Amino acid sequence: MKFFKKIGLLVIGGLFAAGCGNNFLDIKPTGSVPVDKDMIRTNAQLRSAVNGAYTYLEYYRYSSMLDGDVMGDDLQSCYGNYRMELFYDLTQRSVNYTNMTLWSRLYSTAYDINTVLNQVQYIENQNAETEAMVAELRFIRALVHWDASLRYGPLPSNLGKGKIKEDALGVMITDKLSEDIQGMYYRDKVSDVFAFMIREMEECVDKLPAEHRNGYLNYWAGRMFMARLYLYTEQWDKAFQCAKEVIDDGGYSLYSQEQYVKAWQQTYTSESIFEMPTTESDNGSWDGLSYFVSPNGYWSVMASLEFMQLRNSDPKDVRFGVVQYGWWDWLPWEDNDWDECYFISGKYPGRDGNPLVCNPKIFRLSEAYLIAAEAALRGSEGVRTGSYYLSELRRNRTTTDPDKYDAGYDLDDVLYERRLELLGEGHRAFDLWRNQRPVVRYDGSRTFHWCPRELDEIAFDDHRILLPIAVRELELMSAEDRATQQNPGYGLY
């Protein structure tokens, strides 16, 4: 049986939508479509629906985890392998060649979750357990908004900067749906989408259970997500407080140097706050992360030469231990495209010899240390407070000058530690762009195995960062609306 069993939530009565009032459980219909009051009447039935909602996070099992790194300067698409082309070679993007996976996932998620939330009002004897499950559903819905927002709209810290408009569009806020689910959907402003996610989490996080729950979201995952949201919206002190709370009170601990590489072969380890579970019968199959990155599998991505050059300055850093040589490097080839090929197969190694079973770690304690360090540096806490978090992480990763940040640090130091710690977890390009820094792939020296020269440097306001909206999503709109709903720099055909 699958870990999260998919259940039929929607083949009952008609179409539903939901909205939240002032009371946490005051979930009422937004339209006049009749509902089936017997669909969910007990907490047990609601629990089944919540379990089913986790299937909408299954995209973490696949290459979506790698998008932010492949668009950056640490990972690259392998030569001749086109599985990550849209995220590595941004020149290929067009309205007829795009990726709408998370776009459609957002709306299908919202439809199902809003349908369930619409039914909560009919549960008799509602209690704290009911509230916790409603919070869980809203958390899942917010997470899908997050991942879709990073692909289809600019980052909130860049609004009004460079060529990016202050009122730039992101995705549609799907806290409610119109009665006509086949109607046209219009995008909301990025600022409003992030405000929605923050509001959702601020309202629901205290209702989430605090106990560690393998494969399920909890209070600490909620606080981690809030720390990310505050970091991206440059609310430094709030980001720091959320990260500090997870570190101080969450009951998690950093991997030691001895534990680091082995931890990626294990599940629900000391740093792991939320993992997307996989089993032998429920996994990403041959498109899952482990087979996707393995030189013995699809070898779809590999480390850039620039990233591997970082190892020369600190070969004792255990984080380089997850990067492994390609099996063919002993062959006497002269082709530079196939020399020095390193893969992140140690970060997604599979489990017990099965390359299909691999739990991606979505929220980890180390990220809380990195957020605390950056937020302290840029907020009111200051360098003296923040240096503890960056030093503590470094002491658990390398014996080379482990206390170097005790005397102080800057943003370059934070970004350096983030690129090593979070390699292959989808952050690198966004870390650069949210700080208005370019992704540099060619600076006169050979830093990548191959890369189109048009992408030597990718600025934070380069329109190709965003995926174009597929023409099929726009064709029902008027010509004027199509022009405003498409991302800048892309045509309509």
Side-chain angles (χ1 to χ4, degrees):
M1 181 178 293
K2 289 179 179 284
F3 188 92
F4 291 129
K5 184 179 179 182
K6 298 183 180 180
I7 60 175
L9 300 176
L10 306 176
V11 193
I12 300 179
L15 307 178
F16 303 95
C20 295
N22 293 328
N23 186 294
F24 187 76
L25 290 177
D26 184 21
I27 310 295
K28 299 185 184 300
T30 61
S32 59
V33 178
V35 298
D36 186 333
K37 297 180 181 180
D38 293 323
M39 182 178 175
I40 296 177
R41 296 293 298 274
T42 67
N43 278 347
Q45 290 173 325
L46 181 58
R47 183 70 257 170
S48 294
V50 174
N51 287 350
Y54 275 90
T55 62
Y56 283 115
L57 299 180
E58 286 182 345
Y59 58 85
Y60 284 124
R61 297 175 175 176
Y62 304 99
S63 61
S64 294
M65 282 287 288
L66 308 172
D67 294 351
D69 291 290
V70 174
M71 288 194 292
D73 51 4
D74 288 341
L75 293 184
Q76 67 169 87
S77 176
C78 288
Y79 188 74
N81 190 314
Y82 301 106
R83 288 180 176 84
M84 293 298 292
E85 180 180 50
L86 270 174
F87 293 94
Y88 183 61
D89 184 359
L90 306 185
T91 65
Q92 298 293 317
R93 294 180 169 188
S94 73
V95 294
N96 293 309
Y97 187 39
T98 185
N99 185 317
M100 300 298 288
T101 300
L102 284 170
W103 180 276
S104 58
R105 177 61 59 100
L106 172 60
Y107 302 124
S108 56
T109 301
Y111 181 53
D112 282 11
I113 287 179
N114 289 342
T115 299
V116 174
L117 291 176
N118 207 38
Q119 295 293 305
V120 172
Q121 61 188 310
Y122 302 114
I123 295 178
E124 300 175 357
N125 303 316
Q126 296 182 13
N127 53 25
E129 182 184 4
T130 317
E131 291 187 331
M133 287 187 284
V134 169
E136 218 170 329
L137 287 169
R138 293 173 70 181
F139 190 172
I140 293 170
R141 186 174 63 182
L143 262 180
V144 182
H145 276 80
W146 161 267
D147 286 302
S149 294
L150 297 184
R151 274 71 172 181
Y152 304 106
L155 301 174
S157 59
N158 291 335
L159 297 176
K161 299 174 183 176
K163 294 179 287 187
I164 299 174
K165 295 181 178 180
E166 184 70 39
D167 60 352
L169 297 180
V171 295
M172 175 186 172
I173 296 172
T174 55
D175 58 335
K176 55 184 178 297
L177 296 174
S178 64
E179 291 188 23
D180 182 9
I181 196 171
Q182 296 182 4
M184 293 178 290
Y185 299 125
Y186 289 86
R187 302 164 67 190
D188 288 292
K189 293 188 293 186
V190 168
S191 56
D192 292 338
V193 177
F194 275 80
F196 162 72
M197 289 186 281
I198 289 171
R199 184 172 64 252
E200 281 286 279
M201 295 309 300
E202 288 177 342
E203 290 179 3
C204 77
V205 68
D206 289 334
K207 308 294 183 180
L208 293 164
E211 64 264 26
H212 296 190
R213 306 190 306 159
N214 293 346
Y216 290 90
L217 296 164
N218 64 3
Y219 173 81
W220 306 109
R223 297 299 279 177
M224 272 299 307
F225 184 39
M226 292 174 71
R228 267 192 207 174
L229 287 167
Y230 289 138
L231 187 78
Y232 271 60
T233 53
E234 299 187 333
Q235 300 182 64
W236 309 121
D237 290 349
K238 289 184 177 181
F240 176 81
Q241 291 301 327
C242 285
K244 182 178 185 298
E245 182 182 357
V246 174
I247 293 166
D248 292 346
D249 303 326
Y252 303 94
S253 59
L254 288 173
Y255 303 143
S256 68
Q257 293 182 36
E258 293 73 24
Q259 294 170 331
Y260 187 83
V261 173
K262 292 181 180 179
W264 296 99
Q265 305 167 24
Q266 303 164 351
T267 59
Y268 311 118
T269 46
S270 65
E271 275 197 28
S272 185
I273 300 172
F274 174 62
E275 297 183 9
M276 191 65 208
T278 59
T279 66
E280 290 190 0
S281 60
D282 184 17
N283 54 65
S285 188
W286 302 109
D287 288 321
L289 277 169
S290 179
Y291 199 78
F292 196 85
V293 303
S294 172
N296 298 308
Y298 286 143
W299 44 272
S300 295
V301 298
M302 61 185 178
S304 66
L305 294 174
E306 177 183 346
F307 182 83
M308 295 312 302
Q309 288 164 7
L310 297 176
R311 186 178 61 173
N312 297 333
S313 62
D314 190 2
K316 296 181 180 179
D317 194 310
V318 295
R319 290 172 290 197
F320 292 110
V322 302
V323 185
Q324 300 172 352
Y325 242 168
W327 58 266
W328 55 75
D329 266 344
W330 61 272
L331 295 172
W333 291 346
E334 298 293 334
D335 188 343
N336 286 336
D337 288 327
W338 294 101
D339 285 343
E340 302 179 70
C341 294
Y342 291 85
F343 296 83
I344 59 168
S345 47
K347 198 154 217 182
Y348 300 110
R351 194 160 69 241
D352 299 327
N354 188 342
L356 307 185
V357 183
C358 180
N359 286 16
K361 299 171 178 21
I362 314 304
F363 294 114
R364 287 198 294 129
L365 183 65
S366 56
E367 186 185 353
Y369 278 81
L370 290 162
I371 291 176
E374 182 176 350
L377 173 70
R378 307 177 78 173
S380 64
E381 294 293 334
V383 172
R384 180 172 297 183
T385 297
S387 63
Y388 162 76
Y389 298 99
L390 208 57
S391 290
E392 186 66 12
L393 179 65
R394 184 174 177 82
R395 280 190 284 268
N396 282 277
R397 298 296 183 260
T398 184
T399 57
T400 303
D401 197 6
D403 303 318
K404 67 177 294 185
Y405 301 129
D406 288 354
Y409 65 101
D410 58 22
L411 183 59
D412 287 336
D413 295 320
V414 174
L415 294 178
Y416 171 82
E417 295 296 335
R418 284 184 67 91
R419 74 187 300 190
L420 265 61
E421 185 67 36
L422 303 177
L423 176 70
E425 296 176 58
H427 296 271
R428 177 58 178 170
F430 301 124
D431 281 343
L432 292 171
W433 290 330
R434 67 181 171 84
N435 287 293
Q436 296 83 53
R437 298 187 178 198
V439 167
V440 179
R441 291 180 174 174
Y442 182 75
D443 59 1
S445 60
R446 183 170 174 265
T447 55
F448 279 75
H449 288 264
W450 73 276
C451 181
R453 293 305 303 271
E454 303 95 321
L455 298 173
D456 284 353
E457 186 170 306
I458 310 169
F460 75 93
D461 60 352
D462 190 318
H463 78 273
R464 295 170 298 184
I465 288 170
L466 307 182
L467 284 165
I469 308 303
V471 65
R472 68 176 182 272
E473 298 291 333
L474 306 173
E475 57 190 3
L476 294 180
M477 298 179 181
S478 67
E480 182 179 357
D481 284 346
R482 287 199 297 269
T484 60
Q485 291 292 301
Q486 181 58 275
N487 273 325
Y490 296 107
L492 300 177
Y493 302 102

